[in-house]
Each structure stands twice: as C-alpha cells, then as structure tokens.
C-alpha cells in the first residue's frame, strides 16, 4: 500500500489517495473511511478530470506524472489548443 498525494493540472490543492497492493485506488474521506474506489490510477485521474469539465475526447492530451509520492494529472505541453475550433 502506498499513500500518495494527488494534484490536478498543477493547481494549489493536493489531496491524499491510497494505492493498494493490487493497484486499485482508494480515496479516503475526512474520517479515514473510503469514499470512492477505482480500478487503477489512470481511471481515477480520468474520472477526476471529467468531473472538472475536461471533454472525454481530450483525455488523450493529459498525462499522469509521478514524482516521488506526488501524482499529477496534467495537460501535456503543446496540446492545450487541440481541437479548440471544433467546439465553436
């Protein structure tokens, strides 16, 4: 089991998640009890991004970056404007 810190797109907020031995992800609530579970880290990151209004078609422009115990899900450089004009 690994205790990790999650950051979305280099925002200030960081919160704790748990990567279990079987690679599933658990999001603990304030009391320590699990409030959500995901099959793997990528699924957790993508579900979080969707909740933050990232278009499903744009998920390929995002990357999971791990530095020590910090996991970040960030928009890859040079892809921020991909398909922008298709939405107007």
């Amino acid at each position: 089991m690994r205790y990790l810190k999650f950051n979305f797109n280099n925002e200030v907020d960081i919160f704790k998640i748990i990567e279990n031995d079987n690679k599933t992800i658990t999001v603990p609530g304030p009391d320590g009890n699990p409030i959500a579970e995901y099959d793997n880290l990528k699924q957790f990151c993508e579900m979080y991004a969707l909740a933050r209004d990232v278009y499903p078609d744009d998920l390929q422009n995002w990357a999971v970056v791990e530095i020590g115990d910090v996991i970040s899900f960030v928009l890859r450089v040079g892809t921020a404007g991909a398909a922008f004009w298709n939405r107007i």
Side-chain angles (χ1 to χ4, degrees):
M1 179 181 323
R2 291 192 313 159
Y3 293 90
L4 303 169
K5 298 172 194 145
F6 177 74
N7 174 265
F8 179 73
N9 207 27
N10 297 317
E11 293 178 347
V12 174
D13 295 330
I14 292 178
F15 63 91
K16 296 177 184 177
I17 60 174
I18 300 168
E19 182 181 54
N20 301 298
D21 294 335
N22 62 359
K23 301 298 182 189
T24 60
I25 299 297
T26 301
V27 180
D31 60 358
N33 291 322
I35 58 173
E37 293 189 14
Y38 299 89
D39 293 340
N40 53 53
L41 185 59
K42 183 155 177 68
Q43 181 190 45
F44 164 74
C45 290
E46 289 180 351
M47 293 302 291
Y48 190 90
L50 292 171
R52 296 293 303 273
D53 294 327
V54 172
Y55 288 96
D57 292 344
D58 291 342
L59 288 174
Q60 76 258 4
N61 297 330
W62 290 75
V64 177
V65 177
E66 183 175 346
I67 301 173
D69 66 346
V70 177
I71 303 294
S72 296
F73 195 51
V74 296
L75 187 60
R76 287 192 251 163
V77 174
T79 60
F84 171 78
W85 294 110
N86 293 337
R87 292 196 181 89
I88 295 179

